[in-house]
Amino acid sequence: MADKLTVNEERIRKEFCELVEIDSVSFQERQMADRLTEKLKSIGFTVEEDDAGSRIGGNAGNLFGVLKGGVPGSPILLSGHMDTVEPGIGKKAVCHEDGRITSRGDTVLGADDLAAVVEILEGIRIVREAGLPHRDIELLLAAAEEPFTKGSSAFDFSRVTAKEAYVLDVSGPVGKAILKAPTILSFEVQIKGRAAHAGFEPEKGIHSIQILSRGIGELKLGRVDEETTLNIGLISGGSVVNAVPEYASCRGEIRSYDHEKALRSLEYVRETFVRSVQGTGAELVFTHQVNVKAFQIQPSEPVVAHFTQACRNLGIEPEFGSTFGGSDGNTIVQHGIPCAVLSCGMYEAHSVREYTRLSDMADGARLVAELIRQ
């Protein structure tokens, strides 16, 4: 199958460099959404943009495209995201003789997730240009993925008919599929004590920082067990050095491959701070948010079998693994669609050292072509 298709590497290079130069940090994807809509329509997709942008505080929604292909059976859902992390304004792709593509070193490159977007576009193009039948394709290009899948979480998944999905959004060479990802919870602790002058009348104060610190000191931070972590990452409090601080707060997160275990850890954190406040006269406000929910795809699922066959058609030995990060795959699975999250040839993402390779993107395009022809 694979030898019938020819990837246009020069087209990949030009398209990737073009998209990199479009600023699209999270919640600011307007120009990217407009350009990708044009590209998808030129391939033959019907494309609609939802109203997620207005609901999540952004200037663009999710793009949902449908392309009929002539092969009977359930459609395939492909997905990537349009946004990048900071620093992401003024990006410029620099192509090196060894095939690597980097930024100029003062911004991220945006291979996370533009390498995936280009691979999806090219993979579909080469199948269409060859006149070959393919499965019906449903395509979700999400806004605001980086801040814990805000865009896809606001998408109406009742529009999706596919029973099999692939999100291209993992570092490393093409050929790896992530089948397991964690729940990620964030929480905030706010302590309200009582202000007083620290020199003249400290006994009239209730020291919010001390109370907060007592609670943090009782927590088991770091690796709680083999599948759960707990961290406090931000602390703030007080306003001047000569006053007993009235307010103090901290923010943290919990990650676990077991959703119920994550919730139990959250309750452990809450109870710890309840104890730290008891008898002090201070007030506690404890809030949390479930950012993404854990999933695990079984090896027997068709989504795994089809990925395996597509890789082997290309002479790639498939690799399966897990991640301790989140992606739009978490959201898709919660809507009852088995999903594998695939590597797409990006490296050192979320840093100014980020890079991709032309050969990786070419492999990713070939893999997409194989998946849609299964």
Side-chain angles (χ1 to χ4, degrees):
M1 293 173 65
D3 57 357
K4 297 180 181 179
L5 298 172
T6 302
V7 170
N8 187 330
E9 291 196 2
E10 180 59 16
R11 180 167 60 190
I12 289 174
R13 186 190 66 78
K14 287 182 178 179
E15 185 161 65
F16 180 77
C17 292
E18 173 200 352
L19 293 179
V20 162
E21 292 190 18
I22 300 175
D23 293 338
S24 59
V25 295
S26 300
F27 304 109
Q28 299 295 318
E29 304 96 339
R30 177 73 272 146
Q31 287 183 281
M32 183 65 73
D34 290 342
R35 186 68 182 108
L36 290 177
T37 296
E38 294 173 357
K39 289 177 176 289
L40 291 171
K41 287 182 176 179
S42 72
I43 293 173
F45 276 89
T46 58
V47 186
E48 294 183 15
E49 181 179 337
D50 69 9
D51 64 348
S54 62
R55 290 187 286 127
I56 64 175
N59 65 3
N62 303 296
L63 300 183
F64 182 65
V66 177
L67 180 65
K68 300 296 183 180
V71 172
S74 173
I76 182 174
L77 174 64
L78 300 174
S79 183
H81 64 85
M82 298 186 288
D83 62 318
T84 70
V85 298
E86 297 275 16
I89 302 300
K91 305 187 309 301
K92 180 78 174 179
V94 179
C95 299
H96 301 269
E97 291 185 1
D98 62 1
R100 287 186 314 123
I101 305 176
T102 70
S103 73
R104 291 174 298 190
D106 56 348
T107 68
V108 297
L109 173 62
D112 179 9
D113 198 32
L114 293 176
V117 172
V118 169
E119 290 163 18
I120 291 170
L121 294 175
E122 181 67 13
I124 295 169
R125 282 197 195 102
I126 61 176
V127 171
R128 301 280 285 183
E129 289 169 352
L132 298 172
H134 57 80
R135 299 168 68 178
D136 289 352
I137 302 168
E138 295 177 336
L139 177 61
L140 175 61
L141 295 180
E145 185 275 344
E146 296 292 358
F148 290 121
T149 71
K150 287 290 192 296
S152 64
S153 295
F155 179 69
D156 178 9
F157 276 89
S158 68
R159 305 175 67 182
V160 176
T161 63
K163 305 300 180 185
E164 173 183 341
Y166 300 90
V167 172
L168 282 69
D169 193 15
V170 174
S171 294
V174 172
K176 183 175 183 178
I178 296 299
L179 305 182
K180 182 180 179 181
T183 286
I184 304 177
L185 302 173
S186 58
F187 60 85
E188 182 173 8
V189 181
Q190 299 179 45
I191 306 291
K192 180 183 179 182
R194 183 187 303 125
H197 196 286
F200 293 106
E201 49 183 12
E203 63 279 351
K204 292 184 179 181
I206 300 176
H207 205 294
S208 61
I209 292 177
Q210 184 180 50
I211 295 167
L212 180 73
S213 300
R214 185 184 305 132
I216 294 173
E218 291 183 12
L219 292 174
K220 179 183 178 182
L221 299 177
R223 193 167 300 283
V224 177
D225 59 29
E226 69 281 357
E227 56 184 4
T228 308
T229 61
L230 168 60
N231 185 58
I232 301 289
L234 293 171
I235 299 176
S236 63
S239 57
V240 292
V241 296
N242 64 345
V244 175
E246 183 176 10
Y247 292 99
S249 66
C250 69
R251 293 168 59 189
E253 70 162 30
I254 297 166
R255 300 190 183 212
S256 181
Y257 287 128
D258 184 324
H259 182 68
E260 294 305 317
K261 187 176 289 186
L263 294 179
R264 290 195 296 271
S265 293
L266 182 70
E267 182 60 17
Y268 156 70
V269 173
R270 190 192 70 81
E271 290 177 351
T272 299
F273 284 103
V274 167
R275 288 194 303 272
S276 75
V277 168
Q278 284 176 346
T280 66
E283 298 176 14
L284 167 68
V285 177
F286 186 86
T287 56
H288 79 278
Q289 179 174 345
V290 179
N291 297 310
V292 294
K293 190 175 180 180
F295 75 86
Q296 184 168 1
I297 302 300
Q298 298 303 314
S300 58
E301 290 279 2
V303 69
V304 180
H306 292 161
F307 169 76
T308 299
Q309 187 59 55
C311 286
R312 289 179 175 161
N313 287 347
L314 297 171
I316 298 171
E317 187 59 29
E319 178 185 352
F320 300 96
S322 60
T323 179
F324 221 49
S327 74
D328 287 319
N330 292 73
T331 306
I332 290 171
V333 172
Q334 298 314 310
H335 289 273
I337 307 169
C339 178
V341 185
L342 309 184
S343 54
C344 58
M346 58 185 182
Y347 304 87
E348 298 198 50
H350 293 202
S351 79
V352 297
R353 300 180 303 280
E354 182 185 17
Y355 69 95
T356 186
R357 298 188 185 98
L358 187 58
S359 59
D360 282 305
M361 288 191 285
D363 284 343
R366 294 185 185 99
L367 179 61
V368 168
E370 290 299 313
L371 287 172
I372 67 175
R373 296 176 62 201
Q374 291 273 329

